[in-house]
Amino acid sequence: MKAAAFDYVRASTVDDALAALTGSENAKVLAGGQSLVPLLNRRLARPSVLVDINGLGLSSIQRADGHLVLGALARHRAVETSPLVSRDLPLLTEALRHVGHVAIRNRGTLGGSLAHADPAAELPAVAVALDAEFTVRGEHGLRTISARDFFTGSGQTALEADELLIEVRLPVLPPRTGHAVEELTRRSHDLALVAVFVTVTLDQDGACEQARIAIAGAGPTPIRAIAAEESLRGRVLTPALIAGAAREAAAATDPPSDIHAPAAYRRDMAAVLARRAITRANGSAR
């Protein structure tokens, strides 16, 4: 199929892009296009205006004040291969290796994936796991939205129609932190039926100082398994303790049933993947 007719604006500045968004009741933003273009061609999205923001820059990857600051137009592949990211946020590096294929990652953008807000996608779950903050800009200026507040439903975010995601700030992981990503997919590099993202930080005695557990594909938004994290904090992670936390993580999910898998199967697999991910993250922290 072909996309329905639309007007096209190639913005050269953020102000140009915001003006185009403000002046239309049904505009879409084009960044990498890896999610949007298929929707256009299937006419599942029918914007009156397509605002191309590829000329805005916004692709920097830098460290500032204990955070990695990533421009919204940073390509997946650039983030994946960045030595700075692999050193300070290896969870993000590992997660990106699960995103599509290299050809897709060469075009897809960090901000595009986050704004698309697919609940089965890797980057929204990583942002929730790492307590990311999103800087967005509209005609009234800048505002900051936490990752937990940004995702409001499947394909829905706290972005207003006349706002752009500008950059993402993620806290650098502390020393003695291990990480792991575990996914269940039908085929290699498909969207996950369920995916679990974990970091474990150990204290000097080998007990868990902090754990972060996020789950994708198990609800309308990425899920942060707070009760499971708290069950690990301050304790040496034994197999029995990890298994219990994995069950707690699965209990926090609200997975859908569809043609790919029933809800009960997704919930069971969330527990299996959480156990594997916590075990692996704990091992790498040691």
Side-chain angles (χ1 to χ4, degrees), residues 94-130:
E94 183 174 352
L96 279 164
R97 293 172 184 151
H98 293 269
V99 176
H101 297 276
V102 172
I104 290 172
R105 299 200 295 275
N106 280 333
R107 288 295 305 163
T109 64
L110 179 74
S113 292
L114 295 170
H116 186 60
D118 191 317
E122 290 82 4
L123 293 182
V126 170
V128 168
L130 296 178

PDB file of all heavy atoms in Angstrom, residues 94-130:
ATOM      1  N   GLU A  94      23.357  -3.314  25.757  1.00  0.00           N
ATOM      2  CA  GLU A  94      22.852  -4.668  25.532  1.00  0.00           C
ATOM      3  C   GLU A  94      21.426  -4.650  25.002  1.00  0.00           C
ATOM      4  O   GLU A  94      21.075  -5.412  24.100  1.00  0.00           O
ATOM      5  CB  GLU A  94      22.912  -5.488  26.823  1.00  0.00           C
ATOM      6  CG  GLU A  94      22.452  -6.925  26.620  1.00  0.00           C
ATOM      7  CD  GLU A  94      22.624  -7.803  27.843  1.00  0.00           C
ATOM      8  OE1 GLU A  94      23.232  -7.376  28.832  1.00  0.00           O
ATOM      9  OE2 GLU A  94      22.120  -8.950  27.801  1.00  0.00           O
ATOM     10  N   ALA A  95      20.601  -3.757  25.533  1.00  0.00           N
ATOM     11  CA  ALA A  95      19.213  -3.692  25.076  1.00  0.00           C
ATOM     12  C   ALA A  95      19.127  -3.323  23.604  1.00  0.00           C
ATOM     13  O   ALA A  95      18.303  -3.871  22.855  1.00  0.00           O
ATOM     14  CB  ALA A  95      18.439  -2.686  25.922  1.00  0.00           C
ATOM     15  N   LEU A  96      19.978  -2.394  23.152  1.00  0.00           N
ATOM     16  CA  LEU A  96      19.912  -1.960  21.761  1.00  0.00           C
ATOM     17  C   LEU A  96      20.260  -3.076  20.783  1.00  0.00           C
ATOM     18  O   LEU A  96      19.808  -3.061  19.637  1.00  0.00           O
ATOM     19  CB  LEU A  96      20.849  -0.765  21.554  1.00  0.00           C
ATOM     20  CG  LEU A  96      20.257   0.575  21.988  1.00  0.00           C
ATOM     21  CD1 LEU A  96      21.335   1.634  22.129  1.00  0.00           C
ATOM     22  CD2 LEU A  96      19.193   1.032  20.995  1.00  0.00           C
ATOM     23  N   ARG A  97      21.048  -4.042  21.215  1.00  0.00           N
ATOM     24  CA  ARG A  97      21.374  -5.156  20.325  1.00  0.00           C
ATOM     25  C   ARG A  97      20.148  -6.011  20.005  1.00  0.00           C
ATOM     26  O   ARG A  97      20.178  -6.802  19.057  1.00  0.00           O
ATOM     27  CB  ARG A  97      22.469  -6.013  20.952  1.00  0.00           C
ATOM     28  CG  ARG A  97      23.807  -5.289  21.044  1.00  0.00           C
ATOM     29  CD  ARG A  97      24.820  -6.070  21.838  1.00  0.00           C
ATOM     30  NE  ARG A  97      26.068  -5.307  21.982  1.00  0.00           N
ATOM     31  CZ  ARG A  97      26.894  -5.415  23.011  1.00  0.00           C
ATOM     32  NH1 ARG A  97      26.623  -6.272  23.994  1.00  0.00           N
ATOM     33  NH2 ARG A  97      27.983  -4.684  23.066  1.00  0.00           N
ATOM     34  N   HIS A  98      19.085  -5.850  20.775  1.00  0.00           N
ATOM     35  CA  HIS A  98      17.843  -6.590  20.530  1.00  0.00           C
ATOM     36  C   HIS A  98      16.865  -5.807  19.650  1.00  0.00           C
ATOM     37  O   HIS A  98      15.805  -6.327  19.307  1.00  0.00           O
ATOM     38  CB  HIS A  98      17.152  -6.917  21.858  1.00  0.00           C
ATOM     39  CG  HIS A  98      17.903  -7.881  22.720  1.00  0.00           C
ATOM     40  ND1 HIS A  98      17.710  -9.247  22.662  1.00  0.00           N
ATOM     41  CD2 HIS A  98      18.849  -7.685  23.669  1.00  0.00           C
ATOM     42  CE1 HIS A  98      18.498  -9.846  23.532  1.00  0.00           C
ATOM     43  NE2 HIS A  98      19.198  -8.921  24.157  1.00  0.00           N
ATOM     44  N   VAL A  99      17.205  -4.565  19.319  1.00  0.00           N
ATOM     45  CA  VAL A  99      16.275  -3.711  18.577  1.00  0.00           C
ATOM     46  C   VAL A  99      16.434  -3.967  17.082  1.00  0.00           C
ATOM     47  O   VAL A  99      17.453  -3.589  16.484  1.00  0.00           O
ATOM     48  CB  VAL A  99      16.529  -2.221  18.888  1.00  0.00           C
ATOM     49  CG1 VAL A  99      15.630  -1.338  18.028  1.00  0.00           C
ATOM     50  CG2 VAL A  99      16.286  -1.931  20.366  1.00  0.00           C
ATOM     51  N   GLY A 100      15.441  -4.596  16.467  1.00  0.00           N
ATOM     52  CA  GLY A 100      15.467  -4.803  15.026  1.00  0.00           C
ATOM     53  C   GLY A 100      16.766  -5.405  14.541  1.00  0.00           C
ATOM     54  O   GLY A 100      17.424  -6.183  15.233  1.00  0.00           O
ATOM     55  N   HIS A 101      17.143  -5.052  13.317  1.00  0.00           N
ATOM     56  CA  HIS A 101      18.407  -5.470  12.723  1.00  0.00           C
ATOM     57  C   HIS A 101      19.288  -4.238  12.539  1.00  0.00           C
ATOM     58  O   HIS A 101      18.835  -3.104  12.711  1.00  0.00           O
ATOM     59  CB  HIS A 101      18.161  -6.179  11.391  1.00  0.00           C
ATOM     60  CG  HIS A 101      17.370  -7.442  11.533  1.00  0.00           C
ATOM     61  ND1 HIS A 101      17.940  -8.651  11.865  1.00  0.00           N
ATOM     62  CD2 HIS A 101      16.032  -7.678  11.440  1.00  0.00           C
ATOM     63  CE1 HIS A 101      17.008  -9.582  11.944  1.00  0.00           C
ATOM     64  NE2 HIS A 101      15.836  -9.018  11.693  1.00  0.00           N
ATOM     65  N   VAL A 102      20.541  -4.455  12.167  1.00  0.00           N
ATOM     66  CA  VAL A 102      21.478  -3.336  12.066  1.00  0.00           C
ATOM     67  C   VAL A 102      20.980  -2.277  11.092  1.00  0.00           C
ATOM     68  O   VAL A 102      21.107  -1.076  11.346  1.00  0.00           O
ATOM     69  CB  VAL A 102      22.883  -3.840  11.669  1.00  0.00           C
ATOM     70  CG1 VAL A 102      23.810  -2.669  11.367  1.00  0.00           C
ATOM     71  CG2 VAL A 102      23.476  -4.695  12.783  1.00  0.00           C
ATOM     72  N   ALA A 103      20.389  -2.694   9.980  1.00  0.00           N
ATOM     73  CA  ALA A 103      19.884  -1.717   9.012  1.00  0.00           C
ATOM     74  C   ALA A 103      18.832  -0.809   9.641  1.00  0.00           C
ATOM     75  O   ALA A 103      18.777   0.400   9.355  1.00  0.00           O
ATOM     76  CB  ALA A 103      19.302  -2.436   7.803  1.00  0.00           C
ATOM     77  N   ILE A 104      17.998  -1.375  10.494  1.00  0.00           N
ATOM     78  CA  ILE A 104      16.982  -0.584  11.192  1.00  0.00           C
ATOM     79  C   ILE A 104      17.639   0.329  12.217  1.00  0.00           C
ATOM     80  O   ILE A 104      17.291   1.507  12.340  1.00  0.00           O
ATOM     81  CB  ILE A 104      15.951  -1.516  11.849  1.00  0.00           C
ATOM     82  CG1 ILE A 104      15.106  -2.194  10.769  1.00  0.00           C
ATOM     83  CG2 ILE A 104      15.071  -0.763  12.839  1.00  0.00           C
ATOM     84  CD1 ILE A 104      14.186  -3.264  11.291  1.00  0.00           C
ATOM     85  N   ARG A 105      18.622  -0.202  12.944  1.00  0.00           N
ATOM     86  CA  ARG A 105      19.275   0.599  13.974  1.00  0.00           C
ATOM     87  C   ARG A 105      20.103   1.736  13.374  1.00  0.00           C
ATOM     88  O   ARG A 105      20.356   2.738  14.030  1.00  0.00           O
ATOM     89  CB  ARG A 105      20.148  -0.286  14.867  1.00  0.00           C
ATOM     90  CG  ARG A 105      19.327  -1.358  15.596  1.00  0.00           C
ATOM     91  CD  ARG A 105      20.050  -1.903  16.798  1.00  0.00           C
ATOM     92  NE  ARG A 105      21.259  -2.625  16.530  1.00  0.00           N
ATOM     93  CZ  ARG A 105      21.343  -3.912  16.219  1.00  0.00           C
ATOM     94  NH1 ARG A 105      20.230  -4.648  16.090  1.00  0.00           N
ATOM     95  NH2 ARG A 105      22.506  -4.507  16.027  1.00  0.00           N
ATOM     96  N   ASN A 106      20.533   1.598  12.136  1.00  0.00           N
ATOM     97  CA  ASN A 106      21.255   2.675  11.476  1.00  0.00           C
ATOM     98  C   ASN A 106      20.369   3.892  11.223  1.00  0.00           C
ATOM     99  O   ASN A 106      20.863   5.024  11.110  1.00  0.00           O
ATOM    100  CB  ASN A 106      21.831   2.205  10.139  1.00  0.00           C
ATOM    101  CG  ASN A 106      23.115   1.422  10.314  1.00  0.00           C
ATOM    102  OD1 ASN A 106      23.841   1.602  11.280  1.00  0.00           O
ATOM    103  ND2 ASN A 106      23.412   0.537   9.371  1.00  0.00           N
ATOM    104  N   ARG A 107      19.052   3.689  11.101  1.00  0.00           N
ATOM    105  CA  ARG A 107      18.126   4.774  10.819  1.00  0.00           C
ATOM    106  C   ARG A 107      17.296   5.168  12.037  1.00  0.00           C
ATOM    107  O   ARG A 107      17.003   6.352  12.240  1.00  0.00           O
ATOM    108  CB  ARG A 107      17.164   4.376   9.691  1.00  0.00           C
ATOM    109  CG  ARG A 107      17.795   4.324   8.310  1.00  0.00           C
ATOM    110  CD  ARG A 107      18.255   5.683   7.861  1.00  0.00           C
ATOM    111  NE  ARG A 107      17.187   6.689   7.895  1.00  0.00           N
ATOM    112  CZ  ARG A 107      17.394   8.002   7.855  1.00  0.00           C
ATOM    113  NH1 ARG A 107      18.619   8.479   7.808  1.00  0.00           N
ATOM    114  NH2 ARG A 107      16.374   8.844   7.876  1.00  0.00           N
ATOM    115  N   GLY A 108      16.884   4.195  12.832  1.00  0.00           N
ATOM    116  CA  GLY A 108      16.014   4.483  13.962  1.00  0.00           C
ATOM    117  C   GLY A 108      16.674   5.390  14.976  1.00  0.00           C
ATOM    118  O   GLY A 108      17.898   5.376  15.158  1.00  0.00           O
ATOM    119  N   THR A 109      15.883   6.208  15.651  1.00  0.00           N
ATOM    120  CA  THR A 109      16.401   7.173  16.618  1.00  0.00           C
ATOM    121  C   THR A 109      15.921   6.845  18.023  1.00  0.00           C
ATOM    122  O   THR A 109      14.856   6.250  18.218  1.00  0.00           O
ATOM    123  CB  THR A 109      15.958   8.604  16.275  1.00  0.00           C
ATOM    124  OG1 THR A 109      14.527   8.693  16.367  1.00  0.00           O
ATOM    125  CG2 THR A 109      16.410   8.998  14.876  1.00  0.00           C
ATOM    126  N   LEU A 110      16.709   7.278  18.988  1.00  0.00           N
ATOM    127  CA  LEU A 110      16.365   7.076  20.388  1.00  0.00           C
ATOM    128  C   LEU A 110      15.016   7.721  20.718  1.00  0.00           C
ATOM    129  O   LEU A 110      14.111   7.085  21.261  1.00  0.00           O
ATOM    130  CB  LEU A 110      17.473   7.672  21.257  1.00  0.00           C
ATOM    131  CG  LEU A 110      17.296   7.594  22.772  1.00  0.00           C
ATOM    132  CD1 LEU A 110      17.521   6.173  23.251  1.00  0.00           C
ATOM    133  CD2 LEU A 110      18.249   8.561  23.461  1.00  0.00           C
ATOM    134  N   GLY A 111      14.891   9.007  20.361  1.00  0.00           N
ATOM    135  CA  GLY A 111      13.652   9.714  20.673  1.00  0.00           C
ATOM    136  C   GLY A 111      12.457   9.165  19.934  1.00  0.00           C
ATOM    137  O   GLY A 111      11.344   9.144  20.471  1.00  0.00           O
ATOM    138  N   GLY A 112      12.673   8.704  18.699  1.00  0.00           N
ATOM    139  CA  GLY A 112      11.559   8.135  17.941  1.00  0.00           C
ATOM    140  C   GLY A 112      10.995   6.900  18.605  1.00  0.00           C
ATOM    141  O   GLY A 112       9.774   6.719  18.703  1.00  0.00           O
ATOM    142  N   SER A 113      11.877   6.014  19.086  1.00  0.00           N
ATOM    143  CA  SER A 113      11.417   4.802  19.766  1.00  0.00           C
ATOM    144  C   SER A 113      10.676   5.141  21.050  1.00  0.00           C
ATOM    145  O   SER A 113       9.648   4.531  21.371  1.00  0.00           O
ATOM    146  CB  SER A 113      12.609   3.888  20.088  1.00  0.00           C
ATOM    147  OG  SER A 113      13.165   3.357  18.915  1.00  0.00           O
ATOM    148  N   LEU A 114      11.193   6.110  21.798  1.00  0.00           N
ATOM    149  CA  LEU A 114      10.546   6.478  23.060  1.00  0.00           C
ATOM    150  C   LEU A 114       9.196   7.134  22.810  1.00  0.00           C
ATOM    151  O   LEU A 114       8.210   6.824  23.491  1.00  0.00           O
ATOM    152  CB  LEU A 114      11.466   7.406  23.841  1.00  0.00           C
ATOM    153  CG  LEU A 114      12.782   6.767  24.308  1.00  0.00           C
ATOM    154  CD1 LEU A 114      13.722   7.829  24.858  1.00  0.00           C
ATOM    155  CD2 LEU A 114      12.525   5.688  25.357  1.00  0.00           C
ATOM    156  N   ALA A 115       9.114   8.036  21.844  1.00  0.00           N
ATOM    157  CA  ALA A 115       7.856   8.711  21.560  1.00  0.00           C
ATOM    158  C   ALA A 115       6.822   7.765  20.953  1.00  0.00           C
ATOM    159  O   ALA A 115       5.613   7.954  21.134  1.00  0.00           O
ATOM    160  CB  ALA A 115       8.091   9.903  20.631  1.00  0.00           C
ATOM    161  N   HIS A 116       7.286   6.734  20.241  1.00  0.00           N
ATOM    162  CA  HIS A 116       6.364   5.742  19.675  1.00  0.00           C
ATOM    163  C   HIS A 116       5.696   4.921  20.775  1.00  0.00           C
ATOM    164  O   HIS A 116       4.564   4.473  20.636  1.00  0.00           O
ATOM    165  CB  HIS A 116       7.128   4.833  18.709  1.00  0.00           C
ATOM    166  CG  HIS A 116       6.267   3.868  17.965  1.00  0.00           C
ATOM    167  ND1 HIS A 116       5.243   4.270  17.125  1.00  0.00           N
ATOM    168  CD2 HIS A 116       6.265   2.508  17.931  1.00  0.00           C
ATOM    169  CE1 HIS A 116       4.660   3.203  16.603  1.00  0.00           C
ATOM    170  NE2 HIS A 116       5.246   2.128  17.076  1.00  0.00           N
ATOM    171  N   ALA A 117       6.421   4.690  21.881  1.00  0.00           N
ATOM    172  CA  ALA A 117       5.857   4.116  23.111  1.00  0.00           C
ATOM    173  C   ALA A 117       5.217   2.746  22.903  1.00  0.00           C
ATOM    174  O   ALA A 117       4.158   2.465  23.458  1.00  0.00           O
ATOM    175  CB  ALA A 117       4.849   5.085  23.729  1.00  0.00           C
ATOM    176  N   ASP A 118       5.894   1.894  22.151  1.00  0.00           N
ATOM    177  CA  ASP A 118       5.414   0.518  22.042  1.00  0.00           C
ATOM    178  C   ASP A 118       5.709  -0.191  23.359  1.00  0.00           C
ATOM    179  O   ASP A 118       6.863  -0.241  23.790  1.00  0.00           O
ATOM    180  CB  ASP A 118       6.120  -0.190  20.889  1.00  0.00           C
ATOM    181  CG  ASP A 118       5.484  -1.530  20.544  1.00  0.00           C
ATOM    182  OD1 ASP A 118       5.155  -2.291  21.474  1.00  0.00           O
ATOM    183  OD2 ASP A 118       5.328  -1.821  19.350  1.00  0.00           O
ATOM    184  N   PRO A 119       4.704  -0.761  24.025  1.00  0.00           N
ATOM    185  CA  PRO A 119       4.950  -1.381  25.338  1.00  0.00           C
ATOM    186  C   PRO A 119       5.830  -2.621  25.279  1.00  0.00           C
ATOM    187  O   PRO A 119       6.311  -3.074  26.325  1.00  0.00           O
ATOM    188  CB  PRO A 119       3.550  -1.722  25.837  1.00  0.00           C
ATOM    189  CG  PRO A 119       2.707  -1.809  24.606  1.00  0.00           C
ATOM    190  CD  PRO A 119       3.282  -0.805  23.651  1.00  0.00           C
ATOM    191  N   ALA A 120       6.051  -3.189  24.080  1.00  0.00           N
ATOM    192  CA  ALA A 120       6.928  -4.348  23.949  1.00  0.00           C
ATOM    193  C   ALA A 120       8.347  -3.959  23.540  1.00  0.00           C
ATOM    194  O   ALA A 120       9.210  -4.829  23.432  1.00  0.00           O
ATOM    195  CB  ALA A 120       6.356  -5.333  22.927  1.00  0.00           C
ATOM    196  N   ALA A 121       8.600  -2.677  23.325  1.00  0.00           N
ATOM    197  CA  ALA A 121       9.907  -2.227  22.853  1.00  0.00           C
ATOM    198  C   ALA A 121      10.911  -2.140  23.990  1.00  0.00           C
ATOM    199  O   ALA A 121      10.550  -1.978  25.161  1.00  0.00           O
ATOM    200  CB  ALA A 121       9.778  -0.871  22.156  1.00  0.00           C
ATOM    201  N   GLU A 122      12.185  -2.220  23.622  1.00  0.00           N
ATOM    202  CA  GLU A 122      13.247  -2.250  24.620  1.00  0.00           C
ATOM    203  C   GLU A 122      13.509  -0.889  25.265  1.00  0.00           C
ATOM    204  O   GLU A 122      13.665  -0.792  26.490  1.00  0.00           O
ATOM    205  CB  GLU A 122      14.553  -2.759  23.987  1.00  0.00           C
ATOM    206  CG  GLU A 122      14.564  -4.228  23.611  1.00  0.00           C
ATOM    207  CD  GLU A 122      13.912  -4.529  22.272  1.00  0.00           C
ATOM    208  OE1 GLU A 122      13.498  -3.562  21.576  1.00  0.00           O
ATOM    209  OE2 GLU A 122      13.789  -5.717  21.924  1.00  0.00           O
ATOM    210  N   LEU A 123      13.594   0.165  24.465  1.00  0.00           N
ATOM    211  CA  LEU A 123      14.066   1.449  24.987  1.00  0.00           C
ATOM    212  C   LEU A 123      13.123   2.067  26.023  1.00  0.00           C
ATOM    213  O   LEU A 123      13.598   2.624  27.020  1.00  0.00           O
ATOM    214  CB  LEU A 123      14.343   2.413  23.843  1.00  0.00           C
ATOM    215  CG  LEU A 123      15.518   2.015  22.952  1.00  0.00           C
ATOM    216  CD1 LEU A 123      15.751   3.064  21.877  1.00  0.00           C
ATOM    217  CD2 LEU A 123      16.782   1.821  23.769  1.00  0.00           C
ATOM    218  N   PRO A 124      11.806   2.017  25.854  1.00  0.00           N
ATOM    219  CA  PRO A 124      10.955   2.525  26.930  1.00  0.00           C
ATOM    220  C   PRO A 124      11.183   1.805  28.257  1.00  0.00           C
ATOM    221  O   PRO A 124      11.223   2.451  29.317  1.00  0.00           O
ATOM    222  CB  PRO A 124       9.536   2.290  26.387  1.00  0.00           C
ATOM    223  CG  PRO A 124       9.692   2.354  24.911  1.00  0.00           C
ATOM    224  CD  PRO A 124      11.018   1.692  24.645  1.00  0.00           C
ATOM    225  N   ALA A 125      11.362   0.483  28.218  1.00  0.00           N
ATOM    226  CA  ALA A 125      11.582  -0.265  29.457  1.00  0.00           C
ATOM    227  C   ALA A 125      12.920   0.087  30.084  1.00  0.00           C
ATOM    228  O   ALA A 125      13.035   0.211  31.316  1.00  0.00           O
ATOM    229  CB  ALA A 125      11.496  -1.770  29.186  1.00  0.00           C
ATOM    230  N   VAL A 126      13.953   0.260  29.269  1.00  0.00           N
ATOM    231  CA  VAL A 126      15.254   0.669  29.804  1.00  0.00           C
ATOM    232  C   VAL A 126      15.145   2.051  30.456  1.00  0.00           C
ATOM    233  O   VAL A 126      15.690   2.294  31.539  1.00  0.00           O
ATOM    234  CB  VAL A 126      16.324   0.676  28.700  1.00  0.00           C
ATOM    235  CG1 VAL A 126      17.610   1.327  29.189  1.00  0.00           C
ATOM    236  CG2 VAL A 126      16.608  -0.746  28.239  1.00  0.00           C
ATOM    237  N   ALA A 127      14.427   2.965  29.811  1.00  0.00           N
ATOM    238  CA  ALA A 127      14.261   4.305  30.381  1.00  0.00           C
ATOM    239  C   ALA A 127      13.564   4.247  31.735  1.00  0.00           C
ATOM    240  O   ALA A 127      13.948   4.951  32.675  1.00  0.00           O
ATOM    241  CB  ALA A 127      13.463   5.180  29.414  1.00  0.00           C
ATOM    242  N   VAL A 128      12.555   3.392  31.860  1.00  0.00           N
ATOM    243  CA  VAL A 128      11.848   3.241  33.136  1.00  0.00           C
ATOM    244  C   VAL A 128      12.764   2.593  34.174  1.00  0.00           C
ATOM    245  O   VAL A 128      12.805   3.012  35.334  1.00  0.00           O
ATOM    246  CB  VAL A 128      10.559   2.424  32.936  1.00  0.00           C
ATOM    247  CG1 VAL A 128       9.956   2.009  34.271  1.00  0.00           C
ATOM    248  CG2 VAL A 128       9.539   3.244  32.142  1.00  0.00           C
ATOM    249  N   ALA A 129      13.520   1.584  33.763  1.00  0.00           N
ATOM    250  CA  ALA A 129      14.422   0.903  34.697  1.00  0.00           C
ATOM    251  C   ALA A 129      15.468   1.854  35.253  1.00  0.00           C
ATOM    252  O   ALA A 129      15.821   1.775  36.438  1.00  0.00           O
ATOM    253  CB  ALA A 129      15.104  -0.275  34.001  1.00  0.00           C
ATOM    254  N   LEU A 130      15.962   2.768  34.442  1.00  0.00           N
ATOM    255  CA  LEU A 130      17.078   3.631  34.829  1.00  0.00           C
ATOM    256  C   LEU A 130      16.633   5.006  35.316  1.00  0.00           C
ATOM    257  O   LEU A 130      17.466   5.887  35.514  1.00  0.00           O
ATOM    258  CB  LEU A 130      18.042   3.782  33.654  1.00  0.00           C
ATOM    259  CG  LEU A 130      18.736   2.497  33.195  1.00  0.00           C
ATOM    260  CD1 LEU A 130      19.634   2.778  31.998  1.00  0.00           C
ATOM    261  CD2 LEU A 130      19.534   1.871  34.323  1.00  0.00           C
TER     262      LEU A 130
END
